[in-house]
C-alpha cells in the first residue's frame, strides 16, 4: 500500500481496527518531519529539539572545560604569566556562566524533553512550538555570550556578578551588560521548557499511569520544573534591575541613593541555591532509572523517593542565605538558615539509602551506566558532608571565598549531576540512536573521570584551608601553594582527557556502534516500549499502564488504547490524578514562527544593552512573529 492509497478520509479515520502496518504508514505521514532546510528549522518534534539541545549543551561543556584547563595551566605554578588578570577574569566568569547557565540546566531539561513524553506514553510534548522556541532562544543566548567573549566583551564579573563591582561605577563598558542579558535569554528558555514539561506530565500521561505509577525520572522533572518556575524569576529580576542601573540610571542597588547592594545577593541566591537542585533533581531521577534497570527490580521505597524529591524542592528555597553568612546579617537569621541547610541532608540521605537497598535486594549487573552511579555515591556524599560543614557559620566565615568552597561546589555539582548524567548518556544512548556505546571505552572513561576528578578537586579542600582565595589569577612563591596546585592541574588534565575519550566514544558509536535493539537493558519503563530510535509519532497505539514498571508487568503483550485519529496530529489527554482518558486534542504542527519569534526576542535583548529604545522598537517584530505563530490555520477544533 502506498501513501496515495491512504488518501480517503484523512481526518476522520481512526486507529481502531487498522492493522499495524497500515497504522504505522498513516502515522508516519501525519507526523512526518519536514524535509529541507526550512522544514528542519520548522520541526516541533520533541525528540529533534531535545537532540539539538543535547548537542549544543555538550558543545558548551567542551568550551567551559577549555576555560577551566586554561585557568589550571595559569595556576599550576606561582607567579605564572601565561594569562593576564583581565583575560583570567573573563575566563573564570565564562567558565561559571557556561557551566551553570548554558550546560547544566539546559542539558537536564533537554533530557526531560526527550524522555518525558516517551516515559508517559504520549506522542509529543505539550506546547511543542513553545518548546521549539525555547531551544532557539537558548542557542541565541549562548552564541551572544561566546561571541562577546571572542570580541573581548565577555563578562568579567563572576558568574554571580555581585554589585557594586558589576554596577556602572566599577564595571564600565558592556561586559556586565552581556552577563545581565545572557541571563534573560537562558531563563526565558528554561521557563518555557518548564511549563511544557509540567503540562505534559499532568495531562498527557497514558491511561492507567496514576500518580503512584509515574516513573521516578518523570517525578524528578516535575519537581524541577516547579522549582524553575518559582526560582528563575528572581534572577531575571536581579539582572533586569542591574541593567536598569547601568543603562537607564536607576539606583536600585546604589546605597548612596537609597538602594541596597545586598538586595542583589538576596535575589541572586534565592535563585542560585535552588538552581543547584534544578541541576541535581533530574540527576536523581536518572539514578533511579539506571539502578532499577541494572538491579533487575523496582526501586525500593518508591513513595519515600517521591516525597524526598518534593521535600528537596521545597527546602531548596530555604537555604539561600548560607551563601551570605559573611555579609553581616543578623545571627538569628543565620541560625535559621544553618538549620535549613542541615535539614535538607535528610531527604537527600533518604534517597541514598533507598538506592543502596535496591542494589542490595537485587541482582546488579555492573555496566558502565551503573559504574557512574556508584561513583556518584562516593563523590556526592563527600560533597554533602562539606556542605553541612559550610552551613556552620563559624567555619563558613573561615572558609568563605577560599578554594575549600570551590572544592565543595564541584563535588556537589560534578559528583551529584555530571556523573549521573554521564551514566544516563550511556544508558539512553541506544534509545536516541539505536546503537550501543563501547563498554570498554566506557569503563576507561569512568576510571579516568573518577581518578582525575578526585585528584583535581580533593586537594582544593586542603589548599583552601591553607588560605588560598578563589578567583585569583596568581599567587606568590612564599605561600607554598605551588606543588599542590601543580598536582591539582595534572588531575584536571586527566579529567579533561576522560571527556575527550567520551567524545571519541560518542562519535564512534553513532556510526559504528553495535545495533541496540528496542530494549537492550531489559528496562521496565515506557520509553523502551517503542523502537530505538523512536519513530516521529513515538507510539503507534497509546499504551495502557498497569504497573509502575509496565514492561516488566506486561512482558507478553501490553494493553493499548484506541480511538485517536490518524490523519491529524492527535493526542490523548488524561485526568491529573488517575490518568483516565479525558479528551482528544490536536497537537500543533510544524511552524517557522517559533524560530522567527526567537530571532525577534533575541534581537531585542541584544539591542537593549546598547539602548533602552530597543525594547520599544523590538516590540514590533515580536508582535508580528506572535501573530504569525498563533494565527488560526483553519484546523479542526479539539474534540472532547
Amino acid at each position: 500500500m502506498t501513501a496515495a492509497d491512504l488518501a480517503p478520509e484523512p481526518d476522520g479515520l481512526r486507529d481502531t481496527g487498522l492493522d499495524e502496518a497500515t497504522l504505522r504508514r498513516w502515522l508516519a505521514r501525519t507526523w512526518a518531519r519536514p524535509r529541507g532546510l526550512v522544514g528542519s528549522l520548522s520541526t516541533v518534534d520533541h525528540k529533534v529539539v531535545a537532540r539539538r539541545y543535547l548537542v549544543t549543551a555538550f558543545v558548551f561543556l567542551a568550551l567551559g572545560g577549555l576555560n577551566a584547563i586554561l585557568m589550571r595551566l595559569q595556576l599550576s605554578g606561582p607567579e605564572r604569566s601565561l594569562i593576564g588578570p583581565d583575560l583570567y577574569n573573563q575566563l573564570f566568569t565564562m567558565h561559571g556562566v557556561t557551566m551553570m547557565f548554558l550546560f547544566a540546566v539546559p542539558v537536564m531539561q533537554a533530557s526531560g524533553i526527550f524522555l518525558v513524553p516517551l516515559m508517559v506514553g504520549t506522542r509529543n510534548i505539550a506546547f511543542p512550538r513553545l518548546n521549539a522556541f525555547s531551544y532557539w532562544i537558548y542557542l541565541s543566548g549562548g552564541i551572544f555570550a561566546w561571541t562577546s567573549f571572542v570580541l573581548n566583551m565577555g563578562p568579567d564579573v563572576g558568574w554571580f556578578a555581585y554589585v557594586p563591582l558589576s554596577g556602572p561605577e566599577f564595571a564600565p563598558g558592556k561586559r556586565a551588560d552581556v552577563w545581565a542579558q545572557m541571563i534573560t535569554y537562558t531563563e526565558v528558555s528554561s521557563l518555557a521548557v518548564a511549563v511544557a514539561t509540567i503540562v505534559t506530565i499532568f495531562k498527557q500521561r497514558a491511561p492507567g499511569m496514576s500518580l503512584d505509577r509515574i516513573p521516578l525520572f518523570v517525578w524528578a522533572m516535575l519537581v524541577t520544573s516547579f522549582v524553575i518556575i518559582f526560582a528563575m524569576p528572581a534572577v531575571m529580576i536581579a539582572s533586569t534591575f542591574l541593567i536598569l542601573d547601568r543603562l537607564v540610571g536607576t539606583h536600585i542597588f546604589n546605597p548612596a541613593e537609597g538602594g541596597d547592594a545586598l538586595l542583589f545577593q538576596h535575589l541572586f541566591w534565592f535563585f542560585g541555591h535552588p538552581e543547584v537542585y534544578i541541576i541535581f533533581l533530574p540527576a536523581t531521577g536518572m539514578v533511579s532509572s539506571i539502578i532499577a534497570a541494572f538491579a533487575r527490580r523496582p526501586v525500593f521505597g518508591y513513595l519515600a523517593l517521591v516525597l524526598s524529591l518534593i521535600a528537596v524542592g521545597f527546602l531548596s528555597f530555604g537555604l539561600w542565605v548560607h551563601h551570605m553568612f559573611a555579609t553581616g546579617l543578623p545571627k538569628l537569621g543565620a541560625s535559621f538558615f544553618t538549620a535549613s541547610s542541615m535539614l535538607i541532608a535528610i531527604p537527600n540521605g533518604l534517597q541514598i539509602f533507598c538506592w543502596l537497598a535496591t542494589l542490595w535486594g537485587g541482582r546488579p549487573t555492573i555496566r558502565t551506566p551503573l559504574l557512574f552511579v556508584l561513583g556518584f555515591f562516593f563523590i556526592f556524599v563527600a560533597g554533602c558532608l562539606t556542605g553541612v560543614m559550610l552551613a556552620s557559620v563559624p567555619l563558613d566565615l573561615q572558609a568563605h571565598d577560599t578554594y575549600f568552597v570551590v572544592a565543595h561546589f564541584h563535588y556537589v555539582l560534578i559528583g551529584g549531576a555530571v556523573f549521573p548524567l554521564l551514566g544516563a548518556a550511556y544508558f539512553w544512548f541506544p534509545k536516541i540512536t539505536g546503537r550501543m556505546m563501547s563498554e570498554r571505552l566506557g569503563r576507561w572513561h569512568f576510571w579516568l573521570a573518577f581518578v582525575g576528578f578526585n585528584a583535581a578537586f580533593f586537594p582544593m579542600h586542603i589548599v583552601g584551608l591553607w588560605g588560598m582565595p578563589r578567583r585569583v589569577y596568581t599567587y606568590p612563591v612564599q605561600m607554598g601553594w605551588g606543588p599542590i596546585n601543580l598536582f591539582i592541574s595534572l588531575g584536571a588534565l586527566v579529567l579533561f582527557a576522560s571527556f575527550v575519550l567520551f567524545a571519541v566514544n560518542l562519535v564512534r558509536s553513532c556510526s559504528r556502534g553495535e545495533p541496540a535493539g528496542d530494549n537492550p537493558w531489559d528496562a521496565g519503563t515506557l520509553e523502551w516500549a517503542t523502537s530505538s530510535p523512536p519513530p516521529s509519532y513515538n507510539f503507534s497505539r497509546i499504551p495502557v499502564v498497569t504497573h509502575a514498571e509496565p514492561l516488566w508487568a506486561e512482558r507478553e503483550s501490553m494493553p493499548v488504547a484506541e480511538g485517536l485519529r490518524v490523519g491529524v496530529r492527535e493526542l490523548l489527554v488524561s485526568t491529573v490524578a488517575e490518568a483516565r482518558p479525558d479528551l482528544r486534542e490536536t497537537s500543533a504542527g510544524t511552524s517557522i514562527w517559533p524560530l522567527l519569534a526567537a530571532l525577534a526576542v533575541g534581537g531585542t535583548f541584544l539591542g537593549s544593552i546598547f539602548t533602552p529604545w530597543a525594547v520599544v522598537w523590538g516590540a514590533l517584530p515580536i508582535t508580528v512573529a506572535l501573530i504569525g505563530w498563533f494565527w488560526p490555520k483553519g484546523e479542526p477544533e479539539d474534540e472532547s
Side-chain angles (χ1 to χ4, degrees), residues 299-359:
V299 175
F300 177 84
Y302 175 93
L303 180 59
L305 284 167
V306 172
L307 293 177
S308 67
L309 286 170
I310 296 171
V312 168
F314 273 108
L315 291 172
S316 68
F317 287 94
L319 311 180
W320 82 90
V321 172
H322 83 211
H323 295 270
M324 301 171 60
F325 284 161
T327 59
L329 294 173
K331 296 296 185 256
L332 180 61
S335 64
F336 168 80
F337 286 95
T338 293
S340 297
S341 301
M342 294 181 176
L343 181 63
I344 203 168
I346 296 175
N348 283 324
L350 180 62
Q351 294 180 69
I352 298 289
F353 283 115
C354 287
W355 292 325
L356 291 176
T358 305
L359 291 170

Side-chain angles (χ1 to χ4, degrees), residues 460-545:
M460 289 186 185
H461 295 98
I462 300 170
V463 75
L465 293 177
W466 287 352
M468 182 173 176
R470 60 195 296 197
R471 301 190 291 274
V472 293
Y473 86 103
T474 190
Y475 49 90
V477 177
Q478 295 85 349
M479 301 306 296
W481 300 334
I484 195 168
N485 270 295
L486 177 61
F487 184 83
I488 290 170
S489 296
L490 292 174
L493 287 172
V494 173
L495 179 61
F496 186 80
S498 76
F499 280 94
V500 173
L501 184 62
F502 172 65
V504 170
N505 196 357
L506 201 67
V507 173
R508 175 184 175 277
S509 299
C510 283
S511 58
R512 297 168 54 193
E514 179 185 348
D518 292 344
N519 188 2
W521 311 116
D522 190 28
T525 44
L526 278 184
E527 77 272 25
W528 302 103
T530 185
S531 62
S532 299
S536 56
Y537 48 85
N538 289 352
F539 301 92
S540 56
R541 288 183 170 88
I542 303 302
V544 174
V545 175

Side-chain angles (χ1 to χ4, degrees), residues 354-441:
C354 287
W355 292 325
L356 291 176
T358 305
L359 291 170
W360 185 267
R363 300 185 303 277
T365 303
I366 305 299
R367 300 289 295 273
T368 299
L370 189 59
L371 277 177
F372 277 98
V373 168
L374 297 176
F376 149 79
F377 286 157
F378 178 86
I379 296 172
F380 179 69
V381 169
C384 288
L385 292 175
T386 56
V388 172
M389 293 167 64
L390 289 170
S392 171
V393 176
L395 190 145
D396 183 85
L397 291 175
Q398 297 300 314
H400 187 75
D401 271 346
T402 69
Y403 263 81
F404 188 91
V405 177
V406 177
H408 158 71
F409 190 68
H410 285 83
Y411 261 80
V412 169
L413 283 180
I414 295 182
V418 176
F419 268 69
L421 176 66
L422 292 171
Y426 284 92
F427 183 66
W428 278 298
F429 183 84
K431 175 52 56 181
I432 297 173
T433 67
R435 295 182 179 274
M436 302 292 291
M437 293 184 72
S438 167
E439 181 71 16
R440 181 174 62 86
L441 292 180

Side-chain angles (χ1 to χ4, degrees), residues 76-150:
S76 60
E79 299 180 358
R80 291 196 184 278
S81 57
L82 177 66
I83 297 171
D86 181 67
L87 178 57
Y88 190 87
N89 284 344
Q90 290 186 70
L91 283 174
F92 83 70
T93 301
M94 286 301 298
H95 172 72
V97 162
T98 300
M99 292 306 196
M100 297 299 287
F101 293 109
L102 298 177
F103 168 68
V105 174
V107 79
M108 292 304 182
Q109 288 193 292
S111 303
I113 292 170
F114 189 94
L115 291 171
V116 165
L118 293 168
M119 284 186 163
V120 302
T122 189
R123 287 176 174 162
N124 203 356
I125 197 168
F127 310 128
R129 292 181 181 177
L130 180 65
N131 185 49
F133 167 82
S134 75
Y135 171 73
W136 296 121
I137 200 73
Y138 157 65
L139 177 64
S140 60
I143 292 174
F144 164 62
W146 273 88
T147 301
S148 300
F149 175 66
V150 171

Side-chain angles (χ1 to χ4, degrees), residues 228 306 341 448 606:
I228 287 172
V306 172
S341 301
L448 282 174
L606 175 60

Side-chain angles (χ1 to χ4, degrees), residues 266-321:
H266 281 292
L267 289 171
F268 183 86
W269 288 116
F270 186 80
F271 146 82
H273 204 92
E275 187 191 25
V276 173
Y277 294 97
I278 290 169
I279 299 167
F280 170 66
L281 286 171
T284 66
M286 295 171 179
V287 169
S288 295
S289 297
I290 293 170
I291 285 179
F294 289 101
R296 305 297 184 215
R297 56 157 293 176
V299 175
F300 177 84
Y302 175 93
L303 180 59
L305 284 167
V306 172
L307 293 177
S308 67
L309 286 170
I310 296 171
V312 168
F314 273 108
L315 291 172
S316 68
F317 287 94
L319 311 180
W320 82 90
V321 172

